[in-house]
Structures are given as C-alpha cells and as structure tokens.
Amino acid sequence: MLSAFLRVMAMIETVVTVKLPVDETLRIKKNRLTPNEIQGNEKRLAVVTGLHGDEVGGQYVCYELIRRIKQDYDSLRGIVDVYPALNPLGLDTAKRESPFTDIDINTCFPGNDNGSIDEYVAAQILEDIKGAEVCIDVHSSSIFLKEQPQVRINDDNVEEMLPFARSMNADLVWIHPSSTVKEGSLAYALNEIGVKTMVIEAGVALQIYYEYCDQLIEGIFALMKKMGIWVGEIRQPKEPVIVDDSNIAFMNCETSGTFIAQAEHGTFVKKGDVIGRVVKVITGAVEEVLTAPCDGVVFSLRAYPVVEEGSLIARIVKSDFQSETAFTTIPEPTKGGADL
C-alpha cells in the first residue's frame, strides 16, 4: 500500500510553465494515475476543472477522485489524468477570468503557441490532453444560477457521447445544438481533435455542494468502469433525464430589482405556481410576479438576487416530457465549510 501511495505522488507533472512579473511563475499541474503494470494500450480519461476561478466544486471532485483511486489502487486498469486547476491564479483570487488579462480562458482554445499568455496556456493544455479517449470538464455554474447536476453534450456527436453521459450519475443530460457551443471553449476544441468531451454543471460558483459533487464522483467511477479502466466496486448510476432545448422552458424577468425566490431548486412545479418575485427594495413594492409557464422540474434557479430586465431566472424541464419524480431534491451545502 505504501509503495502504491509513493508511486501516485511521483506522478504529479507540470503541464505548462509561464514566467510572470516580479519573479513569479505560473504553473499548471496534473496528477497522472497509472496502473502498477503498464501494458502500453491503456485507455485514458482526463478530468479537468478550475477553468473559471470562481468555480470551486471541482476541487473537491478532484481531491476525492484521487483519494479513492489511491485507496483501491490495484483496481486501476487505465490512465486517469486529473487537472485540478487550469486557472490557478483565478482560483487564488476567486476570480472567474484570468487575473492578468481579465479574459475568460475558456474562450481561448485551441490557443496559440506564439500568442498571449492565455493563448499559450490554452495551446499547452490542449496538447497535453490530446490523446485521451474521454474528457470530463467539470464546472460549478456561476454566481448567478444554481444548477442541478447535469451533463451537456453537442447534438452533432450525440450517438457516441450519450452512452458515456448516461454513466455520469447526473440528473439531466442536456443535448445542445452544436451551433450554440462556443468555438473557443475547451470542450469544443477537444471534440474537434477527437477527444470525446462532456461538460458537467452542478451547484453554484464560490461554493462546494458536497452532495452534488459526491453524486458526480460516483458517476466518474461508473464511467471508468464502462471504459474498462476501473475494476473496483461502483454504485449503479441513476438514469438521467435526456432533454434538448425543445423540452425546456426558459424564464426571464421583465423588470429590474431584487429577486426573491419562492420555488425550491430541483422540485416539481405546476403551471401558474409562483417561482419568485422581483421587488423594489426602496419602496417595498412588488415589481413582477414570475409564474411557471408549464408543469415541470426546476433544474436551474437564480442564486444571485440582484436582477435586471432580461435576467435568466429559471429553467424548467417540461412535465409533458418527464414525470415530477425525475429529479431528487438535494439539500443546501453542508454547514461548516461549504461556503468558500
């Protein structure tokens, strides 16, 4: 057991190094976990997170994934590359974008070896992940919306991606039109070079929703089992709801003010139920009452209360497509350490 532990610790590698002002250095690292005996034909899974510095749920996912593999290291039959922090300076400063350039790194792919710092870093990350069979790109939404655990895939590669997405133990698999996917994103760039990539969204920025993360960790092990790179015990993943845009109702407000939610995240609502109200604090007046446009399950809900006209308030999976028991309600973050 000790030798296996030391072997794992020795596999921490630097993916890219960039010199910064004032004699500082930016280093992006990964932990490569490999079987005790290498055959040369092992399948490879990449798990990446931290592209946005305010999304911290992936930190717990990476920690727990590595810990559990080390705990049963003999069950590993393939390569697992874990990239916990692709925007380490953003994580250090709780900033979504790159602190130096104020640019969203997830718009810089495939990058450029001779470009700006962000473009160079993007090119080196892409080169390092290249060759993996599957990549899981873990995100924690933004400060504005709380999301049920979901997998997002493109409709132009749905046949090959859906079996992998079903293994992820998510509540929802959302199939997006390829025309709406950002061309500068890591997921888009990886899919372009043949690395089957899924985007995971769960929780809300600046917080760790441990229940959501644990749910996705079970999904990663189920995926590893499906890929043949894990022979240890797993939990059977839940069957997700499979949707596209036609199965989803989007709710946007028509006024500005403070949003006060009435519906609960992850619960079933009926058409006409009050989702929340937009109020004008200075006068104590209700500016707008937002009601559900259909029966269904609220899988995205506004988390940041200050809204402007047009702000997204909620997304609802229509119940004429799925039953009201499609999702499991998840409690709020565990007290005493959940908020970062």
Side-chain angles (χ1 to χ4, degrees):
M1 180 64 71
L2 179 60
S3 62
F5 175 79
L6 294 174
R7 175 169 166 62
V8 172
M9 293 301 293
M11 296 304 291
I12 296 177
E13 304 174 6
T14 299
V15 175
V16 57
T17 301
V18 178
K19 291 293 185 181
L20 300 174
V22 201
D23 293 326
E24 294 182 326
T25 302
L26 168 66
R27 292 185 178 88
I28 295 176
K29 299 182 178 182
K30 72 176 181 182
N31 193 340
R32 167 162 284 191
L33 299 103
T34 61
N36 287 316
E37 297 183 6
I38 299 293
Q39 305 297 323
N41 59 350
E42 285 79 12
K43 292 183 178 179
R44 178 175 155 220
L45 170 69
V47 179
V48 307
T49 190
L51 267 171
H52 295 134
D54 61 351
E55 297 178 3
V56 293
Q59 301 303 293
Y60 176 72
V61 170
C62 290
Y63 158 75
E64 189 67 8
L65 174 63
I66 294 169
R67 185 192 70 81
R68 286 178 54 175
I69 290 175
K70 287 162 57 176
Q71 197 172 47
D72 188 14
Y73 198 59
D74 290 338
S75 293
L76 188 63
R77 293 293 186 273
I79 298 171
V80 180
D81 280 339
V82 182
Y83 302 76
L86 295 187
N87 180 9
L89 296 178
L91 282 166
D92 288 345
T93 58
K95 186 175 175 62
R96 192 170 185 83
E97 297 82 12
S98 168
F100 279 104
T101 61
D102 206 31
I103 290 175
D104 182 349
I105 295 177
N106 206 29
T107 63
C108 295
F109 293 92
N112 185 341
D113 285 335
N114 299 312
S116 66
I117 289 178
D118 296 324
E119 290 174 317
Y120 175 74
V121 167
Q124 296 301 305
I125 290 171
L126 192 70
E127 180 65 25
D128 199 81
I129 299 174
K130 184 171 69 175
E133 180 176 356
V134 176
C135 178
I136 302 171
D137 183 11
V138 181
H139 290 264
S140 303
S141 188
S142 65
I143 64 169
F144 299 103
L145 286 173
K146 179 182 175 184
E147 301 279 5
Q148 289 287 123
Q150 61 195 261
V151 182
R152 298 182 180 180
I153 60 176
N154 300 350
D155 62 2
D156 57 358
N157 61 357
V158 65
E159 288 188 10
E160 60 179 350
M161 288 304 305
L162 191 54
F164 294 105
R166 286 182 181 273
S167 299
M168 283 303 301
N169 200 38
D171 295 336
L172 180 78
V173 174
W174 187 356
I175 302 169
H176 283 274
S178 57
S179 60
T180 66
V181 178
K182 294 180 181 178
E183 292 191 11
S185 67
L186 175 62
Y188 183 93
L190 286 172
N191 279 310
E192 284 290 291
I193 63 173
V195 179
K196 295 183 281 289
T197 303
M198 298 178 284
V199 174
I200 307 297
E201 290 283 3
V204 69
L206 298 177
Q207 300 182 53
I208 296 178
Y209 280 75
Y210 293 101
E211 294 85 356
Y212 289 173
C213 293
D214 287 333
Q215 181 179 342
L216 294 173
I217 290 163
E218 296 297 341
I220 294 173
F221 277 97
L223 175 64
M224 289 165 57
K225 188 90 165 186
K226 181 178 183 63
M227 294 174 64
I229 64 178
W230 184 255
V231 297
E233 293 185 2
I234 64 165
R235 293 184 182 178
Q236 183 66 29
K238 66 184 299 183
E239 181 63 28
V241 178
I242 312 296
V243 301
D244 59 28
D245 286 2
S246 67
N247 312 125
I248 296 171
F250 296 77
M251 293 186 60
N252 299 78
C253 62
E254 297 179 355
T255 57
S256 301
T258 300
F259 174 68
I260 300 175
Q262 182 164 326
E264 294 186 14
H265 186 250
T267 58
F268 182 81
V269 294
K270 292 184 177 296
K271 182 177 180 179
D273 284 353
V274 176
I275 302 299
R277 294 173 171 83
V278 177
V279 303
K280 190 172 184 178
V281 176
I282 192 79
T283 63
V286 175
E287 297 290 293
E288 182 180 2
V289 178
L290 293 124
T291 59
C294 61
D295 294 358
V297 176
V298 180
F299 76 94
S300 307
L301 185 63
R302 184 80 179 186
Y304 189 72
V306 179
V307 297
E308 297 180 353
E309 182 180 351
S311 295
L312 180 62
I313 296 298
R315 300 188 189 102
I316 299 174
V317 176
K318 300 174 183 177
S319 69
D320 56 0
F321 173 70
Q322 288 291 338
S323 72
E324 62 184 89
T325 59
F327 296 166
T328 301
T329 303
I330 304 294
E332 293 298 306
T334 305
K335 294 182 180 180
D339 297 342
L340 300 183

